[in-house]
Amino acid sequence: MGAVANAKANPGTLFKACHSLARGTRSFLPLPILPLDCSSLSLMSLIVQKFGGTSVADVEKIQAAARKAIRAQRQGHQVVMVVSAMGKNTDALLGLAGEICDHPPAREMDMLLSTGEQVSVALVAMAIHSLGAKAVSLTGGQIGMKTDNSFSKARIQSISTERIEGLLSDGNIVVAAGFQGIDDDLNITTLGRGGSDTTAVALAAVLGADACEIYTDVDGVYTTDPRLLPEARRVDVISYDEMLELASLGAGVMHSRSIEFAKKFGVPIHVRSSFSDTEGTMIVAEAESQTQPVSGAAMTPDEARVTVIGVPDVPGKSQQVFSAIAACKIAVDMVVQNVGKKGRANISFTVPSGELEATLAAVESVMETVGADSITHDNQVSKVSVVGSNMATQTSVASRMFRALANAGVNIHMITTSEIKISTLVPKSQAAVALRAVHEAFDLHQRPQDAQSWSEIKKDRDKADVDTLVSRLRDDALEALTLTGISITEKQARVTLHGVPDEPGIAADMFETIGAAGIFIDMIVQGYDGDGGSTSVSFTVDEPALQASLEVAQTILQKHGMRDVQGGKEIAKVTVSGIGLRSHTHVATMLFQQLAEDAINVEMINTSELQVNAVIDAKRAVDAVEDLKRAFADSLL
Ligand code: ASP
Ligand code: MG
């Protein structure tokens, strides 16, 4: 059932509030039918309203959606609706296909799944007619939604707007089918589960819409999943970058690719409930607060840790391990390479626990070529992360998180950090406690004092900000990987502590002591040593701070009885920045391949939605950047 099972893997549903909104459906009064003055249409603003499956699940809900669109039109907007398949219709179609055959041809699968949206758009258009307004429904092909031909995960290439614009200026509400497009040969394609969000934001982008409203069964984005933590708070604003990170940690509110689109084109997104009129959450360029270091927390329950022990510390070895895993289409997450002892390194990483067996098999198959000693794993672990746009410029954010976990008695097995995210791997049995502890430590249940209010949020499209970027995009590759820079940060240094006991409180103590010494830390990684369950912790600082950092590290080493401390000078950080770095999974692979080809050893790495960073020998940094610029020439603006 390979293909069917994969397609069924629904995007996570973190942050989907289970509040009884769906049951509290309100009845709407019929709208008065007002004559429409078409002469003023050219001055009208344009809004895109997207209705998800639960918002068109039955006749009453379809009628309510139609009323929302008519009301917006009566208020003077041009309205484009984007609609998903009714209720669980897509799942039902998948089930049917699975009963017919184990591996349905991908093309036929897309042909089948696209029918769900076709049913919805026709019914919504009928509902609008019966309420006395004008509407025309259109399929993906009819709105000129051109995609590549990768069935079930097609990427949008271009959208032609003439037909929609013509219909709008004739006073119609345009009802467009979400989730689908056509390729060059007119085959029907689909964008991947949850893809209607991406249709909606893409239409808003190319039509120059003033806003994109996402009507759904929750009333906005929460600081964490309210089903896991009732004290989670609905936020008024969240930044594109934060939403991208949270979405990749499993927040199911929005399709990740829709946020990439919104960021590229500066489309403000309003996530709100289709069952009430309350304002929801705006996803825009700025964060809710200018000072609060953390905006959201997330827990990914089912993770597995794999450690490859005794990897020869020469360029290209970790590349061999990760290519073997990538060949099985398994997404590797937290990656920590400990600096080797006696010329050997340990590589730890996490994968979804369901993929553990396949991952172990993939690694086993290259053990001999790589020349590594052994593999260990643990599938009883969960990932707890915090995300925030302001954390990069603040000190002690990491130690505050580690302290909260220590106080709750939670042991941290692994740590990785990026500019706007800190992730920890913790025992599965402590995951819920850990999530609550960090949510509380960063006061996420409370509205930040300097939070923007609804009247302050910039809800209009900020065209000036994005024009320079958009003007450089190819208009036939709207969803292509977009790299905005490849750069070097010089004069970095690394400190590594070996033999760090794998017990609660050690990381908290370490990073509090370092913070108290006034040392500003950039990257932190913690991973397994491979012997006796102890771990290694590495962090980077600016080179002038190396001496002071080593002295502090010595005191920590003595206090906790660690094995040794090493310092590495003359290292540099190479950074690839852009939009779509995660969803275009080849970026990290290409980066490591290029560095391996250049025989450059990677000492530390981190990846996020915004950047991929590699810490390497400073003497090789200029070569590395030149070669990476060449390798990524097609994507670099
Ligand atoms: N109907 C599709 C799905 O269930 C697309 C969507 O709802 O966004 O995934
Ligand atoms: Mg959906």
PDB file of all heavy atoms in Angstrom, residues 21-33:
ATOM      1  N   LEU A  21     -15.777  24.686  18.742  1.00  0.00           N
ATOM      2  CA  LEU A  21     -16.244  25.650  17.747  1.00  0.00           C
ATOM      3  C   LEU A  21     -17.146  24.999  16.712  1.00  0.00           C
ATOM      4  O   LEU A  21     -18.161  25.545  16.325  1.00  0.00           O
ATOM      5  CB  LEU A  21     -15.034  26.258  17.038  1.00  0.00           C
ATOM      6  CG  LEU A  21     -14.285  27.305  17.852  1.00  0.00           C
ATOM      7  CD1 LEU A  21     -12.983  27.652  17.161  1.00  0.00           C
ATOM      8  CD2 LEU A  21     -15.161  28.526  18.011  1.00  0.00           C
ATOM      9  N   ALA A  22     -16.711  23.806  16.300  1.00  0.00           N
ATOM     10  CA  ALA A  22     -17.433  23.176  15.207  1.00  0.00           C
ATOM     11  C   ALA A  22     -18.889  22.935  15.587  1.00  0.00           C
ATOM     12  O   ALA A  22     -19.787  23.088  14.772  1.00  0.00           O
ATOM     13  CB  ALA A  22     -16.764  21.870  14.839  1.00  0.00           C
ATOM     14  N   ARG A  23     -19.088  22.596  16.854  1.00  0.00           N
ATOM     15  CA  ARG A  23     -20.458  22.305  17.272  1.00  0.00           C
ATOM     16  C   ARG A  23     -21.259  23.580  17.484  1.00  0.00           C
ATOM     17  O   ARG A  23     -22.453  23.588  17.401  1.00  0.00           O
ATOM     18  CB  ARG A  23     -20.441  21.452  18.538  1.00  0.00           C
ATOM     19  CG  ARG A  23     -20.439  19.967  18.219  1.00  0.00           C
ATOM     20  CD  ARG A  23     -20.135  19.147  19.440  1.00  0.00           C
ATOM     21  NE  ARG A  23     -18.684  19.064  19.624  1.00  0.00           N
ATOM     22  CZ  ARG A  23     -18.098  19.201  20.792  1.00  0.00           C
ATOM     23  NH1 ARG A  23     -18.803  19.416  21.872  1.00  0.00           N
ATOM     24  NH2 ARG A  23     -16.800  19.116  20.893  1.00  0.00           N
ATOM     25  N   GLY A  24     -20.557  24.670  17.759  1.00  0.00           N
ATOM     26  CA  GLY A  24     -21.270  25.908  18.069  1.00  0.00           C
ATOM     27  C   GLY A  24     -21.635  26.700  16.818  1.00  0.00           C
ATOM     28  O   GLY A  24     -21.609  27.927  16.834  1.00  0.00           O
ATOM     29  N   THR A  25     -21.934  26.004  15.745  1.00  0.00           N
ATOM     30  CA  THR A  25     -22.267  26.706  14.506  1.00  0.00           C
ATOM     31  C   THR A  25     -23.420  27.673  14.722  1.00  0.00           C
ATOM     32  O   THR A  25     -24.446  27.316  15.263  1.00  0.00           O
ATOM     33  CB  THR A  25     -22.693  25.686  13.432  1.00  0.00           C
ATOM     34  OG1 THR A  25     -21.704  24.698  13.375  1.00  0.00           O
ATOM     35  CG2 THR A  25     -22.860  26.354  12.097  1.00  0.00           C
ATOM     36  N   ARG A  26     -23.189  28.897  14.284  1.00  0.00           N
ATOM     37  CA  ARG A  26     -24.252  29.892  14.440  1.00  0.00           C
ATOM     38  C   ARG A  26     -25.139  29.914  13.221  1.00  0.00           C
ATOM     39  O   ARG A  26     -24.693  29.634  12.117  1.00  0.00           O
ATOM     40  CB  ARG A  26     -23.622  31.280  14.523  1.00  0.00           C
ATOM     41  CG  ARG A  26     -23.057  31.596  15.841  1.00  0.00           C
ATOM     42  CD  ARG A  26     -22.956  33.085  15.921  1.00  0.00           C
ATOM     43  NE  ARG A  26     -21.880  33.450  16.821  1.00  0.00           N
ATOM     44  CZ  ARG A  26     -21.313  34.636  16.809  1.00  0.00           C
ATOM     45  NH1 ARG A  26     -21.697  35.546  15.948  1.00  0.00           N
ATOM     46  NH2 ARG A  26     -20.375  34.915  17.660  1.00  0.00           N
ATOM     47  N   SER A  27     -26.374  30.285  13.421  1.00  0.00           N
ATOM     48  CA  SER A  27     -27.196  30.474  12.234  1.00  0.00           C
ATOM     49  C   SER A  27     -27.054  31.931  11.808  1.00  0.00           C
ATOM     50  O   SER A  27     -27.001  32.828  12.642  1.00  0.00           O
ATOM     51  CB  SER A  27     -28.639  30.144  12.536  1.00  0.00           C
ATOM     52  OG  SER A  27     -29.040  30.864  13.667  1.00  0.00           O
ATOM     53  N   PHE A  28     -26.954  32.139  10.544  1.00  0.00           N
ATOM     54  CA  PHE A  28     -26.773  33.493  10.038  1.00  0.00           C
ATOM     55  C   PHE A  28     -28.092  34.006   9.484  1.00  0.00           C
ATOM     56  O   PHE A  28     -28.853  33.263   8.889  1.00  0.00           O
ATOM     57  CB  PHE A  28     -25.729  33.491   8.921  1.00  0.00           C
ATOM     58  CG  PHE A  28     -24.346  33.229   9.431  1.00  0.00           C
ATOM     59  CD1 PHE A  28     -23.904  31.925   9.644  1.00  0.00           C
ATOM     60  CD2 PHE A  28     -23.489  34.278   9.737  1.00  0.00           C
ATOM     61  CE1 PHE A  28     -22.644  31.683  10.123  1.00  0.00           C
ATOM     62  CE2 PHE A  28     -22.214  34.028  10.221  1.00  0.00           C
ATOM     63  CZ  PHE A  28     -21.797  32.732  10.414  1.00  0.00           C
ATOM     64  N   LEU A  29     -28.339  35.273   9.676  1.00  0.00           N
ATOM     65  CA  LEU A  29     -29.549  35.864   9.112  1.00  0.00           C
ATOM     66  C   LEU A  29     -29.353  35.997   7.606  1.00  0.00           C
ATOM     67  O   LEU A  29     -28.256  36.265   7.141  1.00  0.00           O
ATOM     68  CB  LEU A  29     -29.773  37.251   9.717  1.00  0.00           C
ATOM     69  CG  LEU A  29     -30.091  37.219  11.208  1.00  0.00           C
ATOM     70  CD1 LEU A  29     -30.118  38.637  11.762  1.00  0.00           C
ATOM     71  CD2 LEU A  29     -31.433  36.537  11.439  1.00  0.00           C
ATOM     72  N   PRO A  30     -30.427  35.823   6.845  1.00  0.00           N
ATOM     73  CA  PRO A  30     -30.269  36.013   5.406  1.00  0.00           C
ATOM     74  C   PRO A  30     -29.816  37.448   5.118  1.00  0.00           C
ATOM     75  O   PRO A  30     -30.200  38.380   5.827  1.00  0.00           O
ATOM     76  CB  PRO A  30     -31.663  35.759   4.834  1.00  0.00           C
ATOM     77  CG  PRO A  30     -32.539  35.415   5.975  1.00  0.00           C
ATOM     78  CD  PRO A  30     -31.779  35.527   7.248  1.00  0.00           C
ATOM     79  N   LEU A  31     -28.989  37.609   4.110  1.00  0.00           N
ATOM     80  CA  LEU A  31     -28.481  38.945   3.808  1.00  0.00           C
ATOM     81  C   LEU A  31     -29.493  39.728   2.992  1.00  0.00           C
ATOM     82  O   LEU A  31     -30.144  39.174   2.116  1.00  0.00           O
ATOM     83  CB  LEU A  31     -27.210  38.807   2.970  1.00  0.00           C
ATOM     84  CG  LEU A  31     -25.991  38.314   3.715  1.00  0.00           C
ATOM     85  CD1 LEU A  31     -24.975  37.807   2.713  1.00  0.00           C
ATOM     86  CD2 LEU A  31     -25.408  39.448   4.542  1.00  0.00           C
ATOM     87  N   PRO A  32     -29.599  41.007   3.234  1.00  0.00           N
ATOM     88  CA  PRO A  32     -30.434  41.815   2.346  1.00  0.00           C
ATOM     89  C   PRO A  32     -29.756  41.870   0.972  1.00  0.00           C
ATOM     90  O   PRO A  32     -28.528  41.921   0.880  1.00  0.00           O
ATOM     91  CB  PRO A  32     -30.419  43.195   3.011  1.00  0.00           C
ATOM     92  CG  PRO A  32     -29.204  43.209   3.871  1.00  0.00           C
ATOM     93  CD  PRO A  32     -28.933  41.793   4.270  1.00  0.00           C
ATOM     94  N   ILE A  33     -30.521  41.777  -0.062  1.00  0.00           N
ATOM     95  CA  ILE A  33     -29.934  41.810  -1.402  1.00  0.00           C
ATOM     96  C   ILE A  33     -29.858  43.275  -1.849  1.00  0.00           C
ATOM     97  O   ILE A  33     -30.866  43.939  -2.054  1.00  0.00           O
ATOM     98  CB  ILE A  33     -30.784  40.995  -2.405  1.00  0.00           C
ATOM     99  CG1 ILE A  33     -31.047  39.585  -1.873  1.00  0.00           C
ATOM    100  CG2 ILE A  33     -30.118  40.969  -3.772  1.00  0.00           C
ATOM    101  CD1 ILE A  33     -29.824  38.713  -1.693  1.00  0.00           C
TER     102      ILE A  33
END
